[in-house]
Amino acid sequence: MRPALILAVVVLGIAGIYATWTHTRNTADMQPSLPGPSAGAGERIGNLERVNPPAAIPDLTVVDAAGAQHSLKDFAGKFILVNFWATWCAPCREEMPSLDRLQARLGGPDFQVVPISLDRGGMSRVESFLK
């Protein structure tokens, strides 16, 4: 056998072993055990940790399509679902119609979906996607 062919077989073998090992490790990490309603502070739920009492989140200010500024304080007393998304993000593009339906069905004085675009292309890119 040629030395280059032997080297290629060894490299591919090592790559296969590594891919199998990382897939097995990552698959095990993705199996969260969801606790019941009695889950306590500090308990892990998948990759999340329950915090009790809930931690305060920093105030966030964003600009809407009309150029008006809004902060999370503007939504005080409401349940909000904040969704950070971008037109270039395939999973984001897939979930946006569902979030739009959720807002249409449940949106009102007590609940609002707040989509926040992370696009750097400006409002024209976002508006063309939303149309």
Side-chain angles (χ1 to χ4, degrees):
M1 272 185 138
R2 293 181 170 174
L5 182 58
I6 293 171
L7 179 61
V9 169
V10 169
V11 168
L12 288 174
I14 292 171
I17 291 168
Y18 176 76
T20 302
W21 178 74
T22 57
H23 173 73
T24 303
R25 196 179 98 217
N26 290 341
T27 302
D29 291 345
M30 292 170 45
Q31 303 299 325
S33 60
L34 298 176
S38 63
E43 185 166 347
R44 297 203 57 81
I45 304 170
N47 291 330
L48 304 175
E49 182 176 343
R50 184 180 210 135
V51 178
N52 194 9
I57 58 173
D59 196 27
L60 171 70
T61 302
V62 295
V63 178
D64 69 13
Q69 287 192 350
H70 300 277
S71 77
L72 290 179
K73 291 178 184 175
D74 296 340
F75 300 98
K78 273 190 173 186
F79 288 98
I80 61 172
L81 187 154
V82 177
N83 182 46
F84 293 95
W85 71 284
T87 58
W88 46 262
C89 168
C92 300
R93 294 174 65 95
E94 190 174 319
E95 73 186 1
M96 288 301 283
S98 296
L99 293 173
D100 189 41
R101 288 190 302 271
L102 178 65
Q103 175 63 30
R105 185 170 176 196
L106 299 178
D110 297 324
F111 174 76
Q112 186 170 352
V113 175
V114 181
I116 300 175
S117 170
L118 301 177
D119 280 282
R120 293 185 180 173
M123 275 307 298
S124 62
R125 174 167 279 165
V126 172
E127 286 172 343
S128 66
F129 169 77
L130 293 176
K131 287 179 186 173

